[in-house]
Amino acid sequence: MYNKFPNGNILNVDLNEGKVSKEVLPGEIYRLYPGGSSLGLYLAMRDMKPGIDPLGVENNLVFSVSALTGLPISGISRVNVTAKSPLTGGMGDSQAGGFFPVHIKANGLDAIVVKGKADKPLYIFIDGEDVQLRDASSLWGKVTGEAEKLIREDLGRDDVEIAQIGPGGENLVNYACIINMCNRANGRNGMGAVMGSKNLKAIVVAKGKSQKPVDSDGFFRLSKSVMQRLEENGSVAGLGKYGTDGDLEGFNEEGFLPTNNWTTGYFPEGAKNITGETMYETILKERDTCYSCAVRCKRVVEVPGMVDPLYGGPEYETTATFGSYCGVTSLEYVSLANQMCNMYGLDTISCGATIAFAMEAYEKGLIDKTVTDGIDLRFGNGEALPVLIEKIANKEGFGKLLALGSYRYAQTLGEEAVDLTVTVKKQELPAHMPQYKPAVGLVYAVNPFGADHQSSEHDPFLVMPEDSMERRRLAQLGIQKGYEDPFTMDDDKVRFAWDTQKYFSTLDTLCLCQFVWGPSWELYGPDEMVELCKTGIGWETSLYELMQVGERRINMMRAFNAKEGFTKEDDLLPKKIFTPLKGGPTDGVVLDKESHEYAKGLYYDLAGWDRDNGNPTESTLKKLSLQWML
Amino acid sequence: MEVICNNKTMEIEVKTTLSDLLRILGYRNTVAVFINGKQLLTSQIEGYVIHEKDNIKIIRILGGG
Ligand code: SF4
């Protein structure tokens, strides 16, 4: 039974020709790219040339799950979307949870590869062997909630899961996302715009049966322990109760809540209003979940006459970007902004951060009401958020400029405006400050698809005592050293950044939720991830092989980007991070540039990338079986 | 009695435990604690009884997500 890796089943959809075909990826190849982002990259890049237009017909768009997806255990239903990104110009990907992922697998598929462009809007419907390309002309222009309803009516059935774009994707907003369940987003990197460029409104899958583990006794030992794990794990239990927004007030009290476009880390007038605890006590209607997950961290909020529970509720990143980044103190307006992004299909991080940038540019006099369509763009104007989001999605008036993303828009305004942007590789930073978490900051800089907070473990866990679960798990990766504060950057921290980045990359390959599976605080640790592979699908693997899977993925993206002309000059944190914060407990705090640059050099060495240009060396690619990318 | 907590002097009752102090100060997140420069193990945090003049450093563990 063991040592045999399952074959991958790929659905190829050629929109130029209107044809679909199936392909079997042999197990020995699938094992190198065992799902998610790795599989997506392999399938997208094998016939994609560098230099193509991300929104042109030559870009390939891949939806992928993993060999493990659909097993009945918490944190196992994630879908990855891969394509060349219109936001970064490099290879992009993004993950989302919900129930859509598990039903891709239930239809016998590991990936759906979409090529070309349809001559009119359509959607793909998959029900086992039956794959249909159906007219979506009447759905075009509709927001997600409405389109969901119309698709169910069109098919005459309710037992489907739908991943779709909204008007933002149709109108090719650079940070448009893909939404399933009307509230789960493949948010980052503009994957929704790529889908829109193909005239593809939605992918719809019929619901099917979950995957059975090959070693049911061993597997159920893992899955049945979940309630006890939740009871014993305060961090994950708190995440379930208060959502990802539960720590917002803590960040504020420490002085590391990005506020007013990252000019300060302190938001005393608003933090309490927008934190997960306040959400829990006021507008939370219920907690929601993903397939088979006991954590139930997803928020469903309701504000009668203003915010519809259909569109879920804001995550920490969203309350930060529309709240503190924009100086907005109203949880209701933040929730409405979240809803509008889910309706129109926009990434909440890039959207909120782009508006925050525009607010600072407005306050500094770089733009005025003649540019903003008469909107008062001072920090704190919550009423402006829904108006701007609609304009962005429809690329109307000032919204057309904001739809470029903050960096590209700033470039049209000049150097002074560019200095106000908070991006890496043109992608807006999530709400974890490198000044507080320098290892996360390092990964923001070097990450191939731009700044991302879910690409490595966060520094504070190294401050836990050595007998803590967090530190004992990190020790399984060889990370032994503890710290007395989160801020220190040294050689061991660089190794922590690189090793946990590989680990998170593995999670994005296996399509595991990073709140349930991880290298420190999560419900299941490294040895249990290996156990999951063995008992779930009979994959006799090791932590070594799994870490290499993650390493391979990062290198695939970097190697593609190198061909696109990316160098270490693209691995730069924004100027703001090296500019002293103003006010609150972190007044005057900056990230030390010298130690950051030193860390980057060491990181390149550890990764096997050329120090001069930051790109993978030939031997690194060969070590990872990536000679085909040379 | 007097203790120093995160660089500030404060008065607490004799026999206050660390758990009491964390509750009084409103810490809801996971924390790491250093007493007089030495980190307490997880197993020691719960029942630790604070002594007069203890220099206590409490660090919130704020992760990702
Ligand atoms: S922890 Fe939250 S996001 Fe992750 S699978 Fe569970 S419900 Fe979904």
Side-chain angles (χ1 to χ4, degrees), chain A residues 235 242 246-247 250-251 253-254 277 316-317 432 436-437 453-454 458 460-461 463-465 467-468 484 515, chain B residues 26-34 37 39-45 57-65:
Chain A
S235 304
Y242 296 114
D247 280 346
F251 284 119
E253 281 167 15
E254 296 296 325
E277 216 160 317
Y316 165 63
E317 296 300 331
H432 296 270
Y436 177 48
K437 301 176 173 179
H453 60 297
Q454 294 291 111
H458 290 215
F461 295 106
V463 187
M464 294 292 285
D467 69 331
S468 64
E484 288 194 21
F515 302 150
Chain B
Y27 280 94
R28 193 173 56 70
N29 316 83
T30 310
V31 291
V33 182
F34 295 76
Q39 184 164 27
L40 294 186
L41 295 175
T42 310
S43 55
Q44 296 170 323
I45 290 182
K57 186 165 86 170
I58 304 170
I59 298 180
R60 269 197 194 91
I61 306 300
L62 298 166

Side-chain angles (χ1 to χ4, degrees), chain A residues 75 78 184 239 288-290 293 295-298 513 515-516:
Chain A
R78 308 278 299 169
R184 311 298 163 90
L239 172 75
D288 201 359
T289 192
C290 304
C293 186
V295 179
R296 300 178 63 235
C297 77
K298 308 308 290 185
C513 175
F515 302 150
V516 178

